[in-house]
Amino acid sequence: MQDKYIVVGKTSGVLEAEIIRSLLLSRDIDTHLSHEALTTIYGFGIGPLAEVEILVSSDQASEARQILEDYYADRLNVDDDLEEPK
């Protein structure tokens, strides 16, 4: 059975979307981005052309939404994810 991917967020640019994608991937959430090809070709976009949808598997959507909520509310503690130096 194929996973169904749903939109859990949108950004106004590829750069922010890639940061969020990396954050979700670091938490083992399979993440895909959907955006206009023109933004990739020209490196920037304006208005609706710049919009990027963040898609995750439907079974991971609630976890992804919570992570995004924490990200936008500045509640993520990066130090929790870092290992102590040996």
Side-chain angles (χ1 to χ4, degrees):
M1 182 174 157
Q2 274 188 325
D3 285 339
K4 179 180 177 185
Y5 285 88
I6 60 172
V7 176
V8 293
K10 295 180 183 181
T11 68
S12 61
V14 176
L15 182 59
E16 183 181 10
E18 286 293 347
I19 291 169
I20 291 171
R21 180 178 175 268
S22 295
L23 171 66
L24 294 173
L25 287 173
S26 75
R27 305 246 192 315
D28 294 324
I29 296 176
D30 189 24
T31 308
H32 298 278
L33 303 178
S34 176
H35 55 87
E36 289 290 330
L38 288 176
T39 58
T40 303
I41 294 168
Y42 293 109
F44 68 94
I46 298 171
L49 287 178
E51 186 175 88
V52 180
E53 294 180 333
I54 300 162
L55 299 111
V56 301
S57 176
S58 59
D59 62 332
Q60 295 180 308
S62 122
E63 182 182 0
R65 285 188 181 113
Q66 183 61 53
I67 292 168
L68 289 176
E69 184 180 317
D70 291 343
Y71 169 77
Y72 286 117
D74 198 25
R75 289 190 298 248
L76 293 179
N77 188 350
V78 177
D79 294 335
D80 290 344
D81 295 336
L82 300 176
E83 293 181 17
E84 290 292 322
K86 294 180 182 181

